[in-house]
Amino acid sequence: MTDSSIATARLGAHGPEVGVQGLGCMGMSFAYGPSDADESRATLERALELGVTLYDTADAYGAGENERFLSPFFKAHRDEVVIATKFALAIHPDDPTKRIIRNDPPYIRECIEASLKRLDVDAIDLYYMHRRDVDIPIEETVGVMAELVREGKVKHLGLSEVTATELRAAHAVHPIAAVQSEWSLFSRDIEEKVVPAAAELGVTLVPYSPLGRGFLTGSFAKAEDLTADDFRRQQPRFTGENAAANAALLDPIRTVAEAHGATPGQIALAWVQQRATVHGLPIVPIPGTRKPTRVEENAAATRIVLTEEESGLLEPIASKVAGTRYTDMTFTSAGRE
């Protein structure tokens, strides 16, 4: 590891060692408005130079387009990167604008073959169940995923947006390397049950949206600041009175940032990274970005250590957040715990 490289952490008890911060790649081709392909490719390369080795995508990001976009980079650096992708979000048969959740065995097998083809790889390093279909026993879903491991198509298994009970049931079928859930200064519900269960089982936490989908950086203050095709315009936390109330919560972050000569985003990320020490388990957040300068900023946050007093200033934020994460929270583990 060079002086500029980030530290490392292991995914699960027997998974690969990766940079302690990963890269969320969704926005490079999906959800966050127009993107520059050349700049995104430069971001991928710069991230790798900094020691970022876990790259996160999903078949649902742009109907496979994100996987196709990432494929050349993965092929060029196959021995240096850890590829994470997901299945479970399918197009509604009667309304192509809507998504449904599918965990049934035939669908999983259809998805893995399609992802392998789009990524143009022989095996996927970390394969996630993106969302939980409550009509399919999780033991059945993970049983099929375990078959993919035995067949050499997948190396390690992950789950996203599951409860502690679901994690335990899944882990009893096959070791789970990572659980991906939203975790940030704005979203802390997993700390009550999921995080302790993961720590007990030796499962790594992979927080998505650790920057509150960019809101914690101060890059936008309300939905109207975003382009018309940005899906954050539909999220309750960023609209109307909720947005104004939540923007006021950033003041303590700015105060701590000033003390460190850092940006608010770096403090938000440092807080997430420091949960590893607080809760006693590996944590590899996956902030998303499409700019090389931003990935440099994010990686530098892994070296910021917050004092007890600074953490205390940030502690009350989550309890004051207005609005839910999504309009339809049935696509999360909320309410099942």
Side-chain angles (χ1 to χ4, degrees):
M1 187 174 74
T2 67
D3 291 341
S4 61
S5 292
I6 61 176
T8 60
R10 188 169 298 282
L11 297 178
H14 306 291
E17 195 167 285
V18 298
V20 77
Q21 185 181 107
L23 181 63
C25 302
M26 178 179 76
M28 294 180 178
S29 53
F30 176 71
Y32 290 149
S35 62
D36 183 304
D38 289 338
E39 189 170 46
S40 291
R41 282 189 282 268
T43 300
L44 294 169
E45 295 287 352
R46 184 62 180 132
L48 187 58
E49 290 172 354
L50 293 168
V52 174
T53 53
L54 176 63
Y55 293 80
D56 185 88
T57 182
D59 62 359
Y61 299 161
E65 182 56 34
N66 198 239
E67 290 180 325
R68 282 188 285 268
F69 173 76
L70 293 169
S71 177
F73 171 74
F74 290 155
K75 288 184 69 177
H77 301 284
R78 188 63 190 97
D79 294 336
E80 303 169 83
V81 302
V82 173
I83 302 171
T85 192
K86 316 176 192 76
F87 74 89
L89 292 178
I91 301 297
H92 194 290
D94 300 321
D95 186 348
T97 66
K98 294 182 178 179
R99 297 293 183 95
I100 58 173
I101 302 172
R102 289 186 62 181
N103 289 173
D104 55 286
Y107 183 72
I108 297 171
R109 289 198 164 275
E110 176 185 328
C111 287
I112 187 63
E113 296 301 334
S115 285
L116 287 170
K117 183 176 181 180
R118 284 189 293 264
L119 291 165
D120 194 15
V121 295
D122 295 327
I124 289 164
D125 301 309
L126 178 60
Y127 199 44
Y128 285 103
M129 180 190 77
H130 203 165
R131 290 293 187 271
R132 166 95 166 93
D133 179 354
V134 296
D135 294 326
I136 306 291
I138 197 163
E139 295 86 350
E140 182 177 340
T141 299
V142 176
V144 176
M145 295 171 72
E147 290 175 3
L148 301 180
V149 175
R150 290 191 288 271
E151 293 165 10
K153 297 175 180 178
V154 170
K155 296 180 182 179
H156 303 281
L157 303 184
L159 304 172
S160 180
E161 289 283 357
V162 292
T163 67
T165 299
E166 291 163 349
L167 173 57
R168 292 180 191 279
H171 196 74
V173 175
H174 188 279
I176 301 299
V179 166
Q180 187 173 133
S181 289
E182 187 163 349
W183 196 4
S184 72
L185 282 167
F186 267 20
S187 301
R188 298 182 57 180
D189 53 294
I190 66 168
E191 292 176 23
E192 185 177 353
K193 294 182 179 180
V194 175
V195 171
E200 176 191 329
L201 298 171
V203 177
T204 298
L205 246 296
V206 178
Y208 73 83
S209 298
L211 293 171
R213 300 197 182 276
F215 195 84
L216 290 167
T217 70
S219 61
F220 73 100
K222 57 186 183 301
E224 290 76 14
D225 296 336
L226 304 168
T227 58
D229 56 348
D230 193 309
F231 95 118
R232 290 172 293 182
R233 291 177 67 97
Q234 312 303 319
Q235 293 186 298
R237 288 182 174 176
F238 311 136
T239 57
E241 294 180 356
N242 288 345
N246 292 334
L249 299 178
L250 303 185
D251 287 343
I253 305 174
R254 295 191 183 99
T255 298
V256 176
E258 186 175 350
H260 283 268
T263 65
Q266 286 178 313
I267 297 305
L269 276 175
W271 181 89
V272 175
Q273 300 277 182
Q274 214 158 309
R275 297 308 93 193
T277 300
V278 172
H279 295 282
L281 79 168
I283 294 176
V284 183
I286 49 170
T289 185
R290 302 175 289 194
K291 298 180 182 297
T293 54
R294 187 70 74 181
V295 84
E296 291 169 359
E297 176 184 320
N298 292 347
T302 65
R303 291 183 280 275
I304 296 174
V305 179
L306 304 178
T307 67
E308 188 174 332
E309 181 181 0
E310 289 167 340
S311 294
L313 284 175
L314 304 175
E315 183 67 25
I317 293 175
S319 64
K320 299 177 182 179
V321 173
T324 54
R325 293 191 281 135
Y326 298 95
T327 302
D328 182 3
M329 288 295 285
T330 63
F331 277 77
T332 74
S333 58
R336 297 203 311 271
E337 191 62 77

